[in-house]
Amino acid sequence: MTLHLIQKSPFTTSVLQNCLDVINEEDIILLMQDGVYSCQLPTLSTIENRILVLRDDLDARGIQADKTDIEIISYENFVTFCTQCKNIISWY
């Protein structure tokens, strides 16, 4: 299982789409930094992978993650996921 860190906005880069092009079904996507703007994409609900988003980054940008299929996590949870995943890939 790989943890994919999406750190850039989908409105300025294609990193989210690039990630989705190569991701495996058991992989996890973590939206962080400006990647949390991806929560505003309607197509995000069509992704079957587990999707996480950092609460502090949402709060810093004034974004609500209204989709029920997105898990909001803390930095402590982020560290836990990093230790549980075999690989971590940063997309920026």
Side-chain angles (χ1 to χ4, degrees), residues 25-45:
E25 61 186 41
E26 72 276 356
D27 291 351
I28 300 171
I29 297 171
L30 173 63
L31 307 174
M32 59 190 306
Q33 299 176 0
D34 284 346
V36 299
Y37 288 112
S38 298
C39 291
Q40 299 172 326
L41 296 175
T43 57
L44 200 62
S45 60

Side-chain angles (χ1 to χ4, degrees), residues 41-88:
L41 296 175
T43 57
L44 200 62
S45 60
T46 64
I47 299 170
E48 297 196 15
N49 294 79
R50 189 172 182 186
I51 301 173
L52 313 172
V53 63
L54 284 174
R55 178 181 312 279
D56 289 350
D57 290 339
L58 281 175
D59 292 345
R61 288 157 182 83
I63 298 173
Q64 298 291 320
D66 297 330
K67 296 174 179 64
T68 58
D69 51 347
I70 297 175
E71 296 176 54
I72 300 173
I73 65 168
S74 66
Y75 272 98
E76 291 80 15
N77 298 129
F78 171 44
V79 172
T80 301
F81 278 101
C82 288
T83 61
Q84 292 174 347
C85 292
K86 181 177 179 181
N87 299 304
I88 300 171

